[in-house]
Amino acid sequence: MRLFATTLLCAFALLGFGRDRRDPPRGEAASRRFNATLAVGTPYRRPSLPASLSGIAWAGGTSYYAVSDDAFTNEVGLYPLTLELASNGLSVVSCKIPFSSRRIRLAEAYDLEDVAFDAVNGTVWAVDETRGTVKEYRLADGVVLRTLKLPDFLRQDRSNLGMESLALSEDACTLWTCTEEALTCDGPRPAPRCAS
């Protein structure tokens, strides 16, 4: 499901969902989608959508929350979005993502990789890969409500290969996460094998 959701968000960013269709494509997203080029001296304009959404969580009905991990463009935060699926549950009918100025800035967040909506408490949990944290945030203002105490062995991740995922049980009592790569205490990184 996470792979589907991540792929879906990447497609939205590339296709320009949420932008007025009369608004011409701009910036990096435009060049990827339309092979557009800018003349020398033309000011660069950031796309109107967040450029780096890294995780998505369903919040009921057509409501979702997505997080961005792009600290370099100052887009880190939580983005509410509306996503309407076709009756087959696979095709996207529409997606509306608020402009960057409407994001919820999550306190102490730097490299958000995934998010889980807590319907029981009306909050979100987010995993920060670089800082190695899982925190609960208040939706109204992004204030940290709780920080999970993680086992020490999870601190033995490889640079930029730490916690990438997050899922929450329906009763909001259990969280799951996993690392992108084996921990250093697990031994060397796995290498691909070729069948002979």
Side-chain angles (χ1 to χ4, degrees), residues 2-196:
R2 183 178 190 282
L3 176 61
F4 168 73
T6 303
T7 304
L8 206 58
L9 282 175
C10 291
F12 297 150
L14 291 174
L15 294 173
F17 280 98
R19 182 174 53 220
D20 187 332
R21 293 287 178 186
R22 294 165 297 173
D23 185 5
R26 302 183 301 264
E28 182 183 20
S31 64
R32 286 190 305 232
R33 167 80 165 89
F34 299 97
N35 296 322
T37 56
L38 295 174
V40 175
T42 302
Y44 174 75
R45 293 171 60 194
R46 292 274 309 147
S48 59
L49 297 175
S52 183
L53 296 176
S54 54
I56 185 171
W58 180 58
T62 59
S63 298
Y64 292 78
Y65 287 101
V67 288
S68 173
D69 64 352
D70 200 340
F72 298 106
T73 57
N74 195 28
E75 291 181 348
V76 173
L78 182 72
Y79 294 84
L81 60 98
T82 302
L83 181 71
E84 185 180 342
L85 299 178
S87 58
N88 64 11
L90 299 174
S91 304
V92 175
V93 175
S94 69
C95 177
K96 296 178 183 174
I97 304 175
F99 294 118
S100 298
S101 61
R102 294 194 51 209
R103 75 171 175 232
I104 302 167
R105 295 175 190 261
L106 301 182
E108 305 167 14
Y110 178 75
D111 184 14
L112 299 173
E113 293 297 342
D114 206 0
V115 61
F117 176 69
D118 183 339
V120 173
N121 297 303
T123 59
V124 293
W125 291 86
V127 62
D128 190 314
E129 180 183 27
T130 300
R131 297 200 168 134
T133 59
V134 177
K135 297 182 179 183
E136 182 183 23
Y137 295 92
R138 188 167 54 207
L139 284 170
D141 53 12
V143 166
V144 175
L145 299 175
R146 288 188 281 180
T147 301
L148 290 186
K149 180 167 176 30
L150 300 174
D152 289 338
F153 71 84
L154 278 178
R155 304 255 177 243
Q156 299 180 50
D157 62 333
R158 291 177 162 87
S159 178
N160 202 32
L161 296 170
M163 293 183 291
E164 284 278 333
S165 62
L166 195 62
L168 180 67
S169 63
E170 192 173 347
D171 63 4
C173 291
T174 308
L175 277 165
W176 291 272
T177 188
C178 68
T179 56
E180 183 176 3
E181 184 64 79
L183 301 170
T184 57
C185 59
D186 295 326
R189 290 183 65 184
R193 293 186 184 192
C194 297
S196 50

